[in-house]
Amino acid sequence: METCGRDFEGEYVKPFTPEKAKEIVMSLHQPAIFCNMVFDWPARHWTAKHLSEVLHGKQIRFRMGMKSTDTGRTTVPQFETTCGYVEATIEEFLAWNCDHSGISGPFRDYDHSEFWAYADYKYFVRLFEDKTDIFQDVIWSDFGFPGRNGRESTLWIGSLGAHTPCHLDSYGCNLVFQVQGRKRWHLFPPEDTRFLYPTRIPYEESSVFSKVSVVNPDLKRFPQFQKARRHVVTLSPGQVLFVPRHWWHYVECIDPVTVSINSWIELEEDHQARVEEAITRMLVCALKSAEDPHNTRAWLNPTEVGHFWFSSWQLVSCDKSTLARTFVFQFMTSKVVETQELKTNGEDMKKNELNVHHLMEVEQTGSQNLPLETVKQEAAGPFGPDLLPVLPSSEKPPSERGGIFENDDKDCVGKGGEHFGKLHCTKRQRRMSKSENATVGQIASNHATAHCQTFISTDDVLDCVVNPQVTKIVAQLLIQGRSL
């Protein structure tokens, strides 16, 4: 039996062997926290102060977002496209984070009482390019992945309130080691995807964002979000969180300084996801190139700016790009989709034996319909004192219970930002038959219908065409060698 404690010689032993840990990671379908697995890792001592000495003088990019007060809480996600950015050293970040009056330097335009800072997605291979020995301080081989260390890892350093918008990662599963401070994770299962109103705007390779501000949801605009099953957990130093494939997550820093290290583990199931990402990237490139290719900030995440148009793995030929532009032109010149055309297309689809609604149902049915006892039985699994399950939360959303920080009355929901990709519908579009609604309704339900308008932008088209459910079906068709 694998338990944490001392062996006969008084030495601490880990609760799981690498083989057992990997078995858990590869078979578990719900988030869980590993305890007592990293107590001997050198990276256990990687506080922000320590890293400022290791990386002395090295400038890194910090994302700057606005804190909000209880009276200024927003229902709009603070996407990375709406944030400011600062190039600074960790020393300068720590000085600013101490809230020194009259501070100068790169953070001088950001009042600490109003802004948070986040050095996120910092890949070790770039950050420590001249200190590669430090890769050995991270020992993912303890989780059954031999040779995996800091080279395959990412560093995150944030201040109180720093957060990432709710999203899912297209590839793999995730192991997250909390080094300093605490982070609160809001997680949602992949079966609840349709309740989170997924969008690819702003576009970032391998990330699907939610239109919902999950800490303060606008339930009038996104009523289905009430059905999403929120799992909330606070990750403390020394713990490792396992995030299964395609679990949605919103992550917020709830201490003055936080440091985390993560690694995305590749999975066999990623093959189809890579096809879906290639399709998405092709369409985004083709559609948006119809506009000014230099005007990318509103819809392209900063991580993609600069290398998007000439990506080395872009799978777009000139002919395909031209075809996509032709499609956009034809779509844009027609203000509405005629009912008769929809019916004809529906008949053609039947003739080709393509049941889109069935594909969507297969994708979206899952544990949401499982009885409570079944969920409890799954939760029993391999869990114990050293492997803690992350269970559905019975708490109300933070917006309904007050502040979301345990040690500060300022929350971390971004102030400002904007909605992307609204798809408004006309009366004629709403007069579709039940069968047509069954086919299109699941996708259309992800779009707001607050105000009707005749103008349709390429962002509207993009948000619909690259909807994850659509690209999944297209990928399945391509893999199966089928066509409409």
Side-chain angles (χ1 to χ4, degrees), residues 361-380:
E361 284 184 334
V362 170
E363 173 63 23
Q364 293 173 352
T365 55
S367 60
Q368 69 211 33
N369 296 319
L370 293 177
L372 182 59
E373 287 303 317
T374 303
V375 174
K376 288 181 178 179
Q377 288 174 8
E378 287 187 356

Side-chain angles (χ1 to χ4, degrees), residues 92-110:
E92 291 169 327
F93 160 73
L94 290 173
W96 170 81
N97 201 42
C98 289
D99 200 16
H100 293 164
S101 58
I103 191 169
S104 59
F107 293 97
R108 60 184 174 274
D109 296 329
Y110 296 93

Side-chain angles (χ1 to χ4, degrees), residues 71-115:
T71 57
R73 195 184 298 275
T74 178
T75 59
V76 182
Q78 189 166 184
F79 291 119
E80 294 170 40
T81 49
T82 65
C83 293
Y85 290 86
V86 165
E87 299 286 337
T89 64
I90 299 178
E91 296 100 313
E92 291 169 327
F93 160 73
L94 290 173
W96 170 81
N97 201 42
C98 289
D99 200 16
H100 293 164
S101 58
I103 191 169
S104 59
F107 293 97
R108 60 184 174 274
D109 296 329
Y110 296 93
D111 188 326
H112 181 266
S113 64
E114 299 178 4
F115 289 88

Side-chain angles (χ1 to χ4, degrees), residues 56-280:
H56 180 71
K58 187 179 183 67
Q59 288 199 330
I60 59 178
R61 196 184 203 196
F62 287 85
R63 179 161 60 94
M64 308 301 297
M66 290 198 69
K67 299 177 180 179
S68 65
T69 62
D70 289 337
T71 57
R73 195 184 298 275
T74 178
T75 59
V76 182
Q78 189 166 184
F79 291 119
E80 294 170 40
T81 49
T82 65
C83 293
Y85 290 86
V86 165
E87 299 286 337
T89 64
I90 299 178
E91 296 100 313
E92 291 169 327
F93 160 73
L94 290 173
W96 170 81
N97 201 42
C98 289
D99 200 16
H100 293 164
S101 58
I103 191 169
S104 59
F107 293 97
R108 60 184 174 274
D109 296 329
Y110 296 93
D111 188 326
H112 181 266
S113 64
E114 299 178 4
F115 289 88
W116 47 257
Y118 208 5
D120 49 1
Y121 297 101
K122 303 307 174 190
Y123 290 93
F124 277 42
V125 291
R126 299 173 188 168
L127 197 60
F128 303 106
E129 55 187 351
D130 56 345
K131 305 176 187 295
T132 56
D133 289 347
I134 208 168
F135 294 165
Q136 308 305 319
D137 289 5
V138 180
I139 315 171
W140 296 116
S141 56
D142 282 350
F143 288 84
F145 301 96
R148 196 176 194 92
N149 53 38
R151 186 179 299 277
E152 297 83 17
S153 301
T154 309
L155 182 69
W156 310 68
I157 304 173
S159 66
L160 180 68
H163 65 273
T164 53
C166 186
H167 68 284
L168 67 79
D169 300 315
S170 301
Y171 307 140
C173 59
N174 196 1
L175 289 173
V176 186
F177 167 33
Q178 191 64 26
V179 180
Q180 179 182 2
R182 295 168 301 154
K183 282 185 173 179
R184 182 173 293 123
W185 287 69
H186 301 246
L187 301 115
F188 303 86
E191 295 83 11
D192 289 0
T193 290
R194 67 187 184 280
F195 304 144
L196 295 183
Y197 300 84
T199 181
R200 294 309 299 261
I201 302 178
Y203 174 76
E204 178 180 282
E205 196 271 330
S206 79
S207 293
V208 181
F209 291 100
S210 169
K211 295 180 183 179
V212 184
S213 173
V214 299
V215 293
N216 190 39
D218 182 348
L219 297 180
K220 290 183 178 179
R221 187 179 180 207
F222 305 114
Q224 294 295 310
F225 179 70
Q226 297 179 85
K227 300 179 182 178
R229 292 161 298 166
R230 185 192 303 263
H231 297 58
V232 181
V233 66
T234 298
L235 194 64
S236 299
Q239 296 179 330
V240 174
L241 175 65
F242 166 64
V243 182
R245 184 175 187 266
H246 287 181
W247 272 71
W248 292 84
H249 47 284
Y250 170 97
V251 190
E252 54 188 346
C253 302
I254 61 173
D255 278 327
V257 180
T258 65
V259 177
S260 307
I261 298 170
N262 87 293
S263 187
W264 287 284
I265 309 298
E266 303 82 4
L267 298 172
E268 285 294 327
E269 300 92 318
D270 290 343
H271 293 312
Q272 177 169 321
R274 295 189 187 283
V275 176
E276 294 170 17
E277 283 300 311
I279 294 168
T280 301

